[in-house]
Amino acid sequence: MKCLLLANESAEVLFYWTDTEFEQRVQEQYGVSQEEGERLPAFEDSINTLFAPIIISCSTMVDRLGDNYTSFSTENNHIYVLHQFEECLYIAVNGDGDETEEDLKRKIFVMKKLTEIMFGMVTFSGALLRKELRPQDTEQRNRLWKKLRSLLETYSRLRENDQSFLVEAVERLIHPTLCEQCIEFLERRLVQQINSNMDRMGEEVLHAFILVHTKLLAFYSSRNASNLYSSDLLALIILVQDLYPSKINLDETSEMAEDSLQTLEAPTPDPSAPSRVFLESKECPMPHSMYCLPLWPGITLVLLTKIPNSHVATSVCYFLEAFVKLEKRLCEGHEGAAAMRGQPSVQEQRSRLEKLIKTWAGMDIQVSGQQNFKNKAFSRSGSGFTRDLLPSCRNMKTQLCGVYRQFFAAECMGSSQRLAPHLQERALSMVQEKLMDWKDFLLVKSKRNITMEFPGLIHFIYVDRSNGQMIAPSLNVTDRTVSELGKGPLADFIKKKVWSLVATAQRYLQKGYATLTLRDGDYFYCYFLWFENETGYKLEVIDIPSSPDDGAPVGMLTCDYYRKLLRYYSKKHQNEVVKCYELFTVHLGVIPNEYILQHCSQLARKLWEPTRIPLL
Amino acid sequence: MAETAALAYSRRFFFLYDSSKVQEEEDRTREGIYYFSPEDTPVDQQELLCGQLAGVCRCVSEMSSSPVRLLRLRKSKYAVRMKDSFLWALSCVVDIPDVSVCDLLDQLIALFCFYNGPVRQSYQLYSKEDLALRWARYLCHLQGGSTELHNIFSCVRTIDSTHIDPLLLLKAALILQACQRCPLVLAGCILYRGRVVSTQMTPALTMKVMVYETQTYSQDFRVTANGLSSSVGSPSSFTATTQVFLTPTELYMLRCHPVDRACRSHCSQPPCQPSKSRFLSRTLSDTPTTDTDSSSLDCPPVSYQTMPSSPRSSLSDEPYFSPIPSRVNTPLHSNLMNQSEYFTPDSHDHGTLNGTNLCAVKESLAGLNIKQDTDASSGSETKSEGLNSDQDTQSDEIKALANGYEQSNCLDNHSDHDNQIQNEENKLDANNHVANKNGKFQGETEEEARTKSKQVEGRLKEKYEPRNTPSPHETLADTSLVPSVLYQHRVRGLVLALLVEPEFNTDPTAREEVHHSSMASLNGLEAHLRNTSPGTPGPPGPYTFAHYDCIQNTLTTNVCGRSAGPQEAFVRATKLLHSHFSHLDTLQEAIVRLGSAVYGTRSMAQETYFLQQGTPVRNSGSPDPQDSAFSLPRKARQRLLKHGVNLL
């Protein structure tokens, strides 16, 4: 019994997802009519009625006590997790014991991440996000919600079955030679060819990568591309898996298969149309077009292109940030010059803004309310930088987000903006040709990526958090092929144990504990997190700060905990490049502790090498 | 607005809210607030919290068809209990384990019901103000643990046995056993200055009894707010009784306690060795007796006649002894009748008028005591005396009646009676059907059975199911509480507290017997304990540890007072690990490190936490067999032996 709901402060449902069990329960409780055609809006209404008291109480708590609910649990172990992002409230419910409070929180943060990937900076404005998530047109809304639901289900499936989504790090296929060849091919042949072609419609391929199921075979970034963060790469893999679900996961359960079939039934209306994705950069979420080209079932080529006018995003972002800062300082009670402290001079910003607005006007994009702001803030008769400026400051924020939306939202771009279909086809066939002899090998390799022989060692996961990559033996309990652990109940049992070990380790890490060993039943579990410099020299341990309970869960997909951790550690080691590693192991409990620790240390040494494979 | 509210909001809250009082639009939320702590919280804030929390809890519990148990906010969290229209909520800071705060709330509710009976009824009988005082007292008692760890484990405070002559503990145990020779005595405990010396009760019951002890210890016993029915002797030594309420399980556990009733008072033979379950007792003498004393077999079962209010008998004899059926009221069947009748002023008259229904008389007397006391705002002592003399004259009559009735009943058919008892017990506990009938095997099998059921219980323990209170639902269910009496004999700092059958109040012989049999020993014990130096705590040692006994609910630790530095780190890790252990039954041991490493290990019976002090050797945190953190289990085993903690 599961549900995820997004609502705004006026208790309006912006999006919801439920499983059939939850839906049935609500219908039973509310006796919702199940008439054909009427079903959907009626159910939406009952969902709305059901959650409205909670949503309203949330706003009351925030307004009057400056606190908010984060979770409820009931005697029959139903869990409700709540999280407020700006004006948007997320509620996740589980009533079947499949998910913990942490899982639900993570789901909420992943949902947030997915909306950011899809809508970029538009998510900064509650009013615009509402428009985006809840289009007036019912059909359009149904289409969008279907897409979001499908993404959420894809994520849940990956989280449940794929180790790289368990630890939130990308898994690479370990085959250095082939990897290197592919990178070279992508660089010299593919990207170069596309980027020099006239039919690219002003787009430029920045990143290209090949996925075998969820595993990365090769990744190439062009020289003028900014870094693609692991959190984004993971989110993109969710998008790819949503478009082309791996067969591995298809024969999961009948329910899963059904879900995936639905996706298959309704393929994207236009196969050569790219998806608009907003990727993190140093400045702001930058719009990109993503092209997913299926080479063979399970093997996909992904191209990320820079779109025309994307530089506008940077300037919108610059001002948006300025207004956000100003709003914050005004809210805190700073007025006059103090309100603008820490920012370039007022006059400078003012002239920059005016210049920009003029440019936009030339592109037929209007920014209303700017005059109002200017009058209030700068004119003699106006109040200057006081609290009175807050409403127009907020209005400016919305306006800027609006500009951003007008420039970059997928539907605003027009359907003609894309790499010419023949160019896409050409790219596809080039890579197909290149990998033809390897394809079967790759599909097998993706299921038996690494084996490791240590007596008594049941499983391990090794993660390099600096580049967001992981290595682990396969645990394909549902797959027909036999993994290292075989299949059946034992493999399933071990899988559960591994999943709970990672969850536990993350919970402790959130509190600052970087070393953990557990003796649980017949097994012994270890978790280590440590730092090294580039040469592999192990750096001294530090006290990791404890994160608040209501903060983002530990991971990469959600707010990239490890990036922050690395930044924190690097402050103390400013002269060297700092790397961060994690090792999770499961041993038989009968193995003496000293052997277990020896294994772990040998394992860490051995696994250090494969992560050195160059990516670029 | 938000800031000022937030400031006051960082406090710990507890409230009891009755949503049935706020039904209509015009009803003000404050009507539903029965108690709110801290009491000086502005009313509008009280209303805000109660209104909002009650609202969302109701919404959530309707959606999930189950009451809310825990509600988390960003800055605090609330343990919640919902029953009928009542909602209890107790807040704490976020880093207290869920299991601890839920336990604490359940204990609080259980405490209230122990002394006041069912909640709804209490609020019909007493004013909100009176009961507010009590809530405040219980809250204060429960939160007054000497260290944060005591609150986390919500354990019973015991005297430091390492500084006490073991013979004194033995003596205390013997005093309790001697008291049990009186058949009306169910179980007892001996407390010294707010700490347990010896107890025969479950930790949960002991904890409840201790509130009364601390209360009378700290206040002038003449001002009674809680049904102190009588007091005799000088201030340094006096006895008192008060009405309390037991859950059926508690009562059953007390009654089925395998003390050989046959050997109780009026039985001239030497007392049999009561083979009590080790799990229920802290007395030293409770090591399981392997040789079943033959005397237990020899004792004729006549003493069943004095077995308090054998429920079946009163039921079967109903037509003869009870002209008013509703007065048929025995502890076990009290749920059949409206309990508020205990408290109706006229019940006393009825009881004496009829004079035939033994139980009704006795219980209504008990009820009267309470009434009398609440009326007595001043000069309670004289009133109490008056009441006592009144009782004395009546009780002779009652005793005569009782004897006559009981003799006639038991002389004829012992076996029948036994069966009745057995049936009764079968009804209460299907798993544990070994009754008192077969004296020979009883001790052993019962012990086995209880050990087993205890283990099963432990395994089945739900995530949030409290570990100290037997069943919150039982306490919450208004109808199931059974009135009983708590007898207390104080000698300066020493208190003998006994849970006795209600008839004890009206049985001067029993009272006298208990009083006299224990008086001298208590005086002696008190003198010894008083002269025992508290013992200078040895050097704290280069380590920090905490050992929690889950069965006896006690904590041994060298963490003292306000924890700082390594101790703070230790407490932090302990909280996390305790929470982890409580969620995962199969977890046996763990080492966690943040700066310094803490080792935690647990079994069915205990949880132990250990931290080695001193600057940790430089390490990287990467897997390293030389890492000193992994030698903690060995060190803990060695170091803790001298504290009586055996981790082997």
Side-chain angles (χ1 to χ4, degrees):
Chain A
M1 207 196 90
K2 303 179 180 80
C3 170
L4 185 110
L5 176 96
L6 266 81
N8 62 13
E9 277 165 329
S10 36
E12 191 177 16
V13 173
L14 299 183
F15 167 72
Y16 73 86
W17 168 88
T18 61
D19 65 355
T20 31
E21 212 186 325
F22 191 92
E23 196 175 325
Q24 274 165 6
R25 196 185 171 95
V26 170
Q27 278 164 350
E28 275 163 25
Q29 268 181 5
Y30 285 77
V32 174
S33 71
Q34 267 188 290
E35 274 175 63
E36 204 52 39
E38 268 177 29
R39 193 173 142 268
L40 198 72
F43 182 69
E44 194 189 319
D45 284 348
S46 38
I47 280 269
N48 217 337
T49 325
L50 208 58
F51 284 96
I54 301 180
I55 300 166
I56 293 165
S57 185
C58 276
S59 336
T60 315
M61 292 299 276
V62 174
D63 291 348
R64 306 237 355 233
L65 290 174
D67 203 346
N68 203 353
Y69 307 114
T70 57
S71 79
F72 308 104
S73 33
T74 62
E75 284 179 16
N76 61 355
N77 293 326
H78 285 201
I79 310 169
Y80 295 66
V81 172
L82 302 92
H83 199 98
Q84 182 113 27
F85 293 104
E86 304 289 321
E87 295 137 89
C88 203
L89 176 70
Y90 288 63
I91 304 176
V93 185
N94 182 287
D96 53 24
D98 285 352
E99 295 160 299
T100 63
E101 206 172 309
E102 273 310 294
D103 292 334
L104 292 181
K105 197 164 97 179
R106 189 176 296 276
K107 204 166 164 182
I108 285 176
F109 274 82
V110 169
M111 190 63 212
K112 168 87 180 345
K113 174 77 188 175
L114 290 172
T115 60
E116 281 169 356
I117 286 275
M118 288 176 73
F119 306 112
M121 233 152 48
V122 175
T123 54
F124 290 15
S125 155
L128 287 177
L129 183 64
R130 180 186 161 275
K131 254 193 215 160
E132 206 68 54
L133 282 172
R134 221 192 133 81
Q136 284 296 308
D137 178 39
T138 320
E139 204 174 306
Q140 203 183 334
R141 191 193 317 163
N142 287 347
R143 215 181 311 127
L144 176 72
W145 284 12
K146 194 173 172 187
K147 173 79 185 162
L148 285 172
R149 280 174 194 150
S150 160
L151 281 175
L152 197 60
E153 277 164 12
T154 302
Y155 163 71
S156 299
R157 177 162 49 86
L158 292 173
R159 168 81 193 170
E160 245 168 75
N161 298 298
D162 199 306
Q163 294 183 81
S164 67
F165 282 85
L166 171 67
V167 294
E168 295 186 0
V170 180
E171 184 168 3
R172 294 185 52 198
L173 279 187
I174 300 171
H175 197 297
T177 348
L178 181 61
C179 173
E180 219 162 324
Q181 279 180 30
C182 285
I183 292 171
E184 205 180 295
F185 180 81
L186 290 176
E187 179 187 4
R188 306 245 167 98
R189 306 281 306 281
L190 188 83
V191 174
Q192 220 171 50
Q193 240 187 56
I194 297 175
N195 284 350
S196 58
N197 195 298
M198 292 305 283
D199 292 335
R200 63 190 167 98
M201 300 291 286
E203 296 193 9
E204 182 193 339
V205 178
L206 296 178
H207 309 277
F209 55 93
I210 300 167
L211 291 172
V212 182
H213 297 304
T214 55
K215 296 183 177 69
L216 193 62
L217 170 63
F219 185 101
Y220 166 77
S221 289
S222 76
R223 262 164 213 91
N224 41 4
S226 56
N227 187 22
L228 180 68
Y229 292 105
S230 313
S231 53
D232 281 342
L233 186 52
L234 284 164
L236 294 179
I237 295 176
I238 298 176
L239 295 187
V240 174
Q241 276 288 315
D242 186 50
L243 286 173
Y244 305 106
S246 282
K247 269 214 183 107
I248 291 186
N249 304 310
L250 265 179
D251 49 17
E252 274 285 290
T253 62
S254 55
E255 194 192 356
M256 277 304 175
E258 229 169 80
D259 290 343
S260 314
L261 272 179
Q262 280 168 3
T263 330
L264 293 177
E265 269 167 25
T268 28
D270 183 355
S272 67
S275 318
R276 172 60 24 82
V277 289
F278 294 87
L279 304 176
E280 280 181 74
S281 70
K282 278 207 182 73
E283 298 86 21
C284 71
M286 289 297 277
H288 289 76
S289 278
M290 179 172 86
Y291 298 84
C292 290
L293 310 173
L295 300 169
W296 294 281
I299 308 181
T300 321
L301 168 70
V302 181
L303 303 174
L304 290 169
T305 64
K306 180 179 155 184
I307 55 171
N309 288 328
S310 60
H311 61 274
V312 175
T314 324
S315 36
V316 171
C317 192
Y318 172 82
F319 286 104
L320 194 67
E321 213 167 88
F323 280 108
V324 168
K325 269 190 199 151
L326 177 63
E327 184 189 338
K328 195 171 159 244
R329 297 198 70 93
L330 288 174
C331 278
E332 284 166 0
H334 299 281
E335 300 203 332
M340 294 294 280
R341 207 174 51 206
Q343 295 193 31
S345 86
V346 181
Q347 290 310 320
E348 194 190 315
Q349 286 210 26
R350 184 183 162 182
S351 60
R352 271 183 75 170
L353 184 61
E354 277 174 10
K355 215 169 99 190
L356 204 67
I357 287 169
K358 248 179 232 158
T359 332
W360 291 344
M363 295 159 89
D364 254 2
I365 286 183
Q366 302 297 324
V367 183
S368 62
Q370 183 258 348
Q371 199 60 40
N372 184 345
F373 179 84
K374 229 166 60 180
N375 289 346
K376 277 192 181 154
F378 300 112
S379 75
R380 273 162 203 276
S381 55
S383 47
F385 289 97
T386 65
R387 281 184 84 90
D388 297 342
L389 207 59
L390 268 176
S392 46
C393 185
R394 285 190 186 130
N395 180 38
M396 279 308 290
K397 250 174 61 188
T398 313
Q399 290 295 325
L400 287 169
C401 285
V403 170
Y404 182 87
R405 182 178 179 277
Q406 262 180 291
F407 266 105
F408 307 118
E411 72 223 62
C412 301
M413 286 288 284
S415 55
S416 58
Q417 181 56 56
R418 69 178 72 168
L419 294 175
H422 74 86
L423 210 55
Q424 295 184 35
E425 279 157 31
R426 173 92 190 101
L428 185 74
S429 59
M430 273 168 73
V431 184
Q432 267 174 343
E433 205 175 300
K434 165 79 191 163
L435 289 177
M436 185 53 95
D437 296 340
W438 291 95
K439 99 177 189 216
D440 293 328
F441 167 79
L442 286 174
L443 290 170
V444 172
K445 178 74 180 164
S446 80
K447 286 166 198 167
R448 273 182 159 268
N449 203 11
I450 186 165
T451 51
M452 192 59 68
E453 274 161 30
F454 282 102
L457 174 67
I458 309 260
H459 193 69
F460 70 84
I461 303 177
Y462 177 80
V463 193
D464 177 348
R465 288 296 178 187
S466 337
N467 62 16
Q469 294 178 4
M470 58 86 81
I471 303 172
S474 302
L475 267 178
N476 299 326
V477 283
T478 55
D479 193 27
R480 286 195 186 83
T481 57
V482 176
S483 70
E484 276 72 18
L485 271 174
K487 53 185 291 183
L490 179 67
D492 201 41
F493 178 78
I494 297 299
K495 187 195 145 204
K496 281 205 184 84
K497 288 293 176 188
V498 171
W499 256 246
S500 97
L501 165 64
V502 173
T504 305
Q506 286 173 338
R507 204 172 63 235
Y508 278 97
L509 183 59
Q510 183 141 32
K511 301 275 169 218
Y513 296 86
T515 306
L516 171 73
T517 66
L518 304 168
R519 184 177 296 282
D520 177 9
D522 296 333
Y523 299 92
F524 193 87
Y525 305 85
C526 299
Y527 168 70
F528 303 93
L529 178 141
W530 71 98
F531 297 93
E532 291 179 8
N533 70 10
E534 226 171 1
T535 59
Y537 178 77
K538 296 189 174 58
L539 302 170
E540 195 165 349
V541 75
I542 49 152
D543 281 358
I544 295 170
S546 162
S547 330
D549 277 350
D550 62 321
V554 166
M556 300 193 101
L557 188 52
T558 56
C559 292
D560 216 339
Y561 171 89
Y562 294 96
R563 207 198 306 167
K564 287 175 198 148
L565 183 63
L566 273 163
R567 213 180 296 145
Y568 177 83
Y569 195 91
S570 299
K571 275 184 198 154
K572 308 198 166 177
H573 287 262
Q574 294 195 329
N575 303 325
E576 22 188 5
V577 177
V578 178
K579 304 236 163 197
C580 174
Y581 297 91
E582 283 180 301
L583 178 67
F584 305 79
T585 61
V586 182
H587 278 84
L588 284 176
V590 290
I591 312 283
N593 282 19
E594 47 270 39
Y595 288 114
I596 290 179
L597 292 163
Q598 244 161 40
H599 279 176
C600 292
S601 113
Q602 284 168 9
L603 202 54
R605 238 192 332 271
K606 274 199 168 184
L607 291 166
W608 190 78
E609 278 310 318
T611 59
R612 306 284 117 178
I613 310 167
L615 250 192
L616 280 166
Chain B
M1 168 70 208
E3 286 99 62
T4 49
L7 204 71
Y9 186 66
S10 56
R11 313 165 73 170
R12 294 177 78 161
F13 294 112
F14 167 70
F15 63 80
L16 168 59
Y17 181 76
D18 181 2
S19 56
S20 70
K21 293 277 185 284
V22 190
Q23 300 268 342
E24 307 294 327
E25 275 296 313
E26 65 269 19
D27 289 341
R28 292 183 306 172
T29 312
R30 65 192 64 173
E31 306 300 329
I33 303 177
Y34 277 21
Y35 177 65
F36 197 103
S37 165
E39 288 170 44
D40 59 353
T41 312
V43 178
D44 60 335
Q45 212 189 335
Q46 293 186 16
E47 287 194 315
L48 177 68
L49 264 180
C50 291
Q52 294 301 320
L53 262 52
V56 283
C57 284
R58 200 174 142 186
C59 178
V60 167
S61 62
E62 271 174 17
M63 230 191 289
S64 287
S65 327
S66 171
V68 171
R69 187 71 185 102
L70 192 76
L71 184 157
R72 240 185 266 271
L73 292 118
R74 277 195 289 126
K75 297 170 192 163
S76 60
K77 67 181 163 197
Y78 286 80
V80 174
R81 275 286 176 203
M82 298 169 80
K83 172 73 188 172
D84 301 329
S85 60
F86 286 121
L87 178 126
W88 289 262
L90 173 70
S91 81
C92 69
V93 288
V94 281
D95 70 338
I96 299 288
D98 297 352
V99 60
S100 304
V101 66
C102 289
D103 266 4
L104 202 63
L105 177 63
D106 287 341
Q107 282 177 36
L108 187 56
I109 299 169
L111 257 182
F112 182 89
C113 294
F114 181 70
Y115 287 106
N116 303 285
V119 176
R120 169 104 33 220
Q121 182 188 286
S122 312
Y123 276 92
Q124 283 160 357
L125 286 165
Y126 305 106
S127 69
K128 279 186 188 174
E129 290 71 29
D130 281 350
L131 293 174
L133 279 174
R134 299 187 191 179
W135 280 117
R137 186 186 311 133
Y138 307 142
L139 201 56
C140 175
H141 177 80
L142 284 180
Q143 296 186 337
S146 48
T147 67
E148 202 179 353
L149 283 176
H150 282 86
N151 284 338
I152 289 159
F153 292 103
S154 40
C155 45
V156 177
R157 270 164 284 171
T158 54
I159 53 162
D160 184 356
S161 55
T162 51
H163 296 298
I164 285 200
D165 183 354
L167 278 174
L168 290 181
L169 299 178
L170 183 63
K171 188 171 175 160
L174 287 172
I175 294 173
L176 291 177
Q177 284 167 16
C179 290
Q180 275 186 320
R181 263 182 265 161
C182 168
L184 294 175
V185 173
L186 293 166
C189 70
I190 291 177
L191 312 166
Y192 185 70
R193 292 185 176 158
R195 288 173 179 274
V196 178
V197 181
S198 180
T199 180
Q200 297 173 316
M201 302 177 218
T202 60
L205 257 181
T206 308
M207 195 113 75
K208 291 180 186 174
V209 167
M210 285 175 83
V211 177
Y212 186 60
E213 193 276 325
T214 23
Q215 165 206 340
T216 51
Y217 182 58
S218 55
Q219 68 177 301
D220 182 359
F221 57 91
R222 287 206 297 174
V223 186
T224 56
N226 201 20
L228 193 68
S229 72
S230 61
S231 46
V232 287
S234 65
S236 63
S237 168
F238 70 92
T239 65
T241 57
T242 186
Q243 182 168 35
V244 292
F245 296 82
L246 299 174
T247 65
T249 316
E250 283 171 343
L251 191 68
Y252 171 69
M253 293 299 270
L254 290 170
R255 286 201 174 140
C256 78
H257 217 261
V259 173
D260 201 319
R261 292 175 187 277
C263 297
R264 286 186 148 189
S265 67
H266 318 308
C267 186
S268 54
Q269 290 161 16
C272 310
Q273 186 82 307
S275 49
K276 288 182 294 295
S277 159
R278 272 187 299 161
F279 293 106
L280 291 174
S281 176
R282 269 189 54 76
T283 56
L284 278 180
S285 59
D286 64 9
T287 41
T289 44
T290 40
D291 56 326
T292 315
D293 198 331
S294 60
S295 61
S296 65
L297 285 171
D298 299 336
C299 289
V302 274
S303 59
Y304 280 131
Q305 65 178 356
T306 44
M307 220 181 114
S309 63
S310 154
R312 260 303 291 277
S313 58
S314 61
L315 257 195
S316 54
D317 293 320
E318 194 179 298
Y320 310 105
F321 290 97
S322 172
I324 308 164
S326 70
R327 297 257 166 253
V328 177
N329 172 33
T330 64
L332 279 171
H333 288 95
S334 60
N335 51 345
L336 296 174
M337 67 175 279
N338 180 357
Q339 288 213 346
S340 63
E341 287 190 42
Y342 297 140
F343 300 94
T344 50
D346 62 337
S347 63
H348 178 234
D349 299 336
H350 275 281
T352 36
L353 278 178
N354 293 328
T356 40
N357 187 339
L358 185 67
C359 301
V361 174
K362 287 172 181 172
E363 270 146 17
S364 54
L365 275 173
L368 187 75
N369 290 341
I370 287 207
K371 188 182 168 286
Q372 186 86 21
D373 273 354
T374 34
D375 288 346
S377 51
S378 63
S380 70
E381 200 157 12
T382 41
K383 279 202 180 183
S384 294
E385 274 170 30
L387 179 71
N388 280 340
S389 52
D390 193 25
Q391 274 178 359
D392 287 347
T393 47
Q394 287 165 5
S395 56
D396 285 338
E397 212 178 311
I398 294 159
K399 222 177 83 183
L401 267 166
N403 288 339
Y405 153 67
E406 282 154 355
Q407 272 162 17
S408 65
N409 192 17
C410 68
L411 281 176
D412 299 340
N413 45 11
H414 287 155
S415 57
D416 195 332
H417 205 106
D418 283 354
N419 284 340
Q420 285 168 1
I421 292 164
Q422 185 157 6
N423 286 342
E424 206 49 60
E425 287 175 347
N426 286 349
K427 251 185 274 171
L428 280 164
D429 186 354
N431 294 326
N432 192 358
H433 48 79
V434 189
N436 296 348
K437 202 164 111 187
N438 194 340
K440 189 163 184 180
F441 303 109
Q442 159 206 333
E444 214 178 309
T445 40
E446 282 226 347
E447 172 131 342
E448 263 172 28
R450 202 155 323 139
T451 315
K452 261 182 210 155
S453 74
K454 191 95 192 173
Q455 284 168 349
V456 171
E457 203 180 307
R459 278 195 211 109
L460 291 179
K461 211 186 299 162
E462 281 289 334
K463 206 159 106 180
Y464 296 119
E465 210 54 36
R467 58 179 63 218
N468 298 326
T469 7
S471 158
H473 295 285
E474 199 172 64
T475 320
L476 291 174
D478 270 11
T479 45
S480 59
L481 294 173
V482 188
S484 181
V485 168
L486 178 62
Y487 165 89
Q488 196 195 91
H489 184 170
R490 169 178 292 285
V491 181
R492 290 183 199 89
L494 187 79
V495 170
L496 165 72
L498 301 171
L499 279 169
V500 294
E501 298 282 0
E503 292 83 350
F504 184 83
N505 254 350
T506 56
D507 187 343
T509 327
R511 279 186 82 125
E512 223 162 273
E513 187 191 327
V514 168
H515 186 75
H516 288 300
S517 69
S518 55
M519 182 66 144
S521 329
L522 285 175
N523 278 326
L525 183 60
E526 195 275 335
H528 275 111
L529 285 171
R530 187 156 30 96
N531 294 326
T532 304
S533 68
T536 42
Y543 54 87
T544 309
F545 81 100
H547 174 74
Y548 171 62
D549 183 321
C550 320
I551 307 297
Q552 299 181 352
N553 219 10
T554 56
L555 184 74
T556 320
T557 177
N558 63 356
V559 175
C560 49
R562 198 66 219 127
S563 41
Q567 293 211 334
E568 194 187 344
F570 175 77
V571 172
R572 228 160 69 93
T574 301
K575 279 190 262 192
L576 274 175
L577 288 171
H578 174 57
S579 193
H580 197 174
F581 282 135
S582 76
H583 281 93
L584 189 62
D585 279 348
T586 49
L587 184 62
Q588 298 148 37
E589 57 174 46
I591 296 170
V592 295
R593 176 165 56 198
L594 196 187
S596 38
V598 174
Y599 168 65
T601 177
R602 74 104 171 259
S603 65
M604 287 298 294
Q606 55 87 24
E607 283 174 33
T608 305
Y609 303 90
F610 181 84
L611 175 146
Q612 179 74 39
Q613 282 165 9
T615 34
V617 190
R618 183 196 174 282
N619 73 76
S620 65
S622 66
D624 176 6
Q626 308 305 318
D627 194 333
S628 62
F630 306 113
S631 60
L632 280 181
R634 188 171 40 83
K635 280 185 190 138
R637 274 193 290 274
Q638 289 166 358
R639 303 273 194 192
L640 297 185
L641 264 178
K642 75 168 178 213
H643 297 276
V645 177
N646 187 351
L647 295 177
L648 294 171

